[in-house]
Amino acid sequence: MAALKYAGLEDTDSEEELPPGWEERTTKDGWVYYANHLEEKTQWEHPKSGKRKRVAGDLPYGWEQETDENGQVYFVDHINKRTTYLDPRLAFTVEDNPVKPTTRQKYDGNSTAMEILQGRDLSGKVVIITGANSGIGFETAKSLALHGACVILACRSPARGNEAVQRILGEWHKAKVEAMTLDLASLQSVQHFAEAFKSKNLPLHILICNAAVFGAPWSLTEDGLESTFQVNHLGHFYLVQLLEDVLRQSSPARVVVVSSESHRFTEIKDSSGKLDFSLLSPSKKEYWAMLAYNRSKLCNILFSNELNRRLSPHGVTSNSVHPGNMIYSSLHRNWWVYTLLFTLARPFTKSM
């Protein structure tokens, strides 16, 4: 009882009644969370019962959900001409009893990043996402941040990175997001990024290697390597090596490498069946943008598989992922032919 008194829980009789200083709120997707105004923190579990809840059904007739300038959800009663931050459906919540599914959860072409993480609390998790200022990287960063994670957007352009941070803060002003400069076309930049991150003394629970170039004309990086190979693969390879110790110390942790099904349409062996490393960073005469992209994606998968073999015994898993065919993003911006192709395919593909 002394512990209950200290926590301020002895003043209420009902298990569902909130202690003084607590408030019940809902997220945009209908999950109930609890705000402790005394300690200025939030949590998914009811402070007394420890239960999780979600609202049931649609809003009553005449009600509409809106979001204020601080990203806070509020409700408009058009019939009685009033607004409130209290969800009128809170009287009809249902208890969320997480049961281990008997079959694997399935998602389809209409699933969103927000739906994948629905109901999950990622508070305390630290995530790095490369190329997070646009496209798949941005949507992933936004969903992780809006579910409580501390997300670092590793971007080549500081201006675009900061703009992406502001867009996420526009959704929720308390989101923990930060942009840091990372140019994968420069191994020195990769090293500086890793050093800057380590200086923050943060753990690292998720590293998402997402940044990529596609259809780029032949060019060499400052390190003397073909740019598609270095940006899509070698830069990420080096980044993981530099952050491996932090990942191990933060276990359980994971690395996610965004690859592509196009890895199937290439080869990195010569006519005798031996690995031909000259194919990875070809000369201008032997360069074809599509093949360079496919080879970099094959390297992604080989790297991810070997990384998982080496680090999974230490609590760090690695997975490669195919994000979807012909997703309309800025990836195709380097050549008008690819832009035309992606534009024609857009009505039949998944959006950002």
Side-chain angles (χ1 to χ4, degrees), residues 86-325:
L86 192 67
D87 191 327
R89 297 169 295 176
L90 283 173
F92 306 100
T93 56
V94 294
E95 186 177 338
D96 176 43
N97 291 314
V99 178
K100 191 172 183 178
T102 54
T103 58
R104 187 176 180 180
Q105 175 67 53
K106 295 185 181 299
Y107 302 104
D108 59 24
N110 295 316
S111 301
T112 67
M114 291 296 291
E115 289 171 349
I116 301 302
L117 294 179
Q118 180 177 337
R120 295 182 181 270
D121 183 3
L122 298 179
S123 300
K125 301 296 183 182
V126 178
V127 185
I128 292 177
I129 307 178
T130 67
N133 59 275
S134 63
I136 296 170
F138 174 77
E139 294 299 329
T140 304
K142 181 176 75 171
S143 182
L144 288 165
L146 295 184
H147 284 85
C150 172
V151 183
I152 293 176
L153 286 65
C155 308
R156 180 173 59 87
S157 167
R160 291 178 181 175
N162 290 326
E163 180 183 344
V165 166
Q166 292 306 313
R167 288 167 62 191
I168 295 174
L169 290 174
E171 295 266 350
W172 184 36
H173 71 290
K174 290 187 177 181
K176 298 180 177 65
V177 285
E178 176 187 355
M180 292 179 63
T181 303
L182 171 64
D183 184 359
L184 292 164
S186 165
L187 296 180
Q188 185 179 55
S189 174
V190 175
Q191 183 178 2
H192 288 167
F193 173 88
E195 291 171 351
F197 174 77
K198 287 183 176 181
S199 70
K200 295 178 180 292
N201 294 317
L202 292 172
L204 178 56
H205 302 101
I206 306 173
L207 172 57
I208 302 177
C209 300
N210 162 79
V213 292
F214 173 82
W218 183 88
S219 66
L220 294 179
T221 67
E222 64 181 49
D223 302 296
L225 297 162
E226 191 278 313
S227 59
T228 299
F229 170 62
Q230 180 164 336
V231 171
N232 292 7
H233 172 64
L234 193 62
H236 284 128
F237 178 93
Y238 188 39
L239 178 65
V240 173
Q241 303 307 303
L242 294 174
L243 297 177
E244 180 182 329
D245 56 338
V246 186
L247 286 164
R248 287 195 187 204
Q249 294 164 11
S250 309
S251 65
R254 66 179 59 183
V255 177
V256 179
V257 183
V258 180
S259 184
S260 171
E261 280 287 347
S262 65
H263 80 278
R264 301 180 187 279
F265 308 108
T266 189
E267 186 57 86
I268 55 175
K269 295 179 181 178
D270 59 22
S271 57
S272 64
K274 295 182 179 180
L275 287 175
D276 186 353
F277 291 104
S278 67
L279 295 174
L280 298 180
S281 184
S283 64
K284 185 175 183 180
K285 182 180 179 181
E286 299 173 325
Y287 177 79
W288 184 24
M290 192 71 211
L291 272 181
Y293 178 80
N294 294 355
R295 286 168 181 156
S296 71
K297 297 291 102 179
L298 177 56
C299 288
N300 286 163
I301 293 175
L302 295 173
F303 166 59
S304 178
N305 289 351
E306 178 62 16
L307 186 68
N308 188 71
R309 187 186 71 81
R310 295 190 185 192
L311 295 190
S312 56
H314 304 283
V316 181
T317 60
S318 178
N319 291 275
S320 53
V321 57
H322 170 54
N325 288 313

Side-chain angles (χ1 to χ4, degrees), residues 1 4-15 17-22 38 48:
M1 292 301 293
L4 286 175
K5 184 175 182 179
Y6 178 79
L9 305 183
E10 87 291 359
D11 296 330
T12 57
D13 298 323
S14 169
E15 186 185 57
E17 189 175 352
L18 289 171
W22 286 80
L38 300 178
K48 292 182 66 178

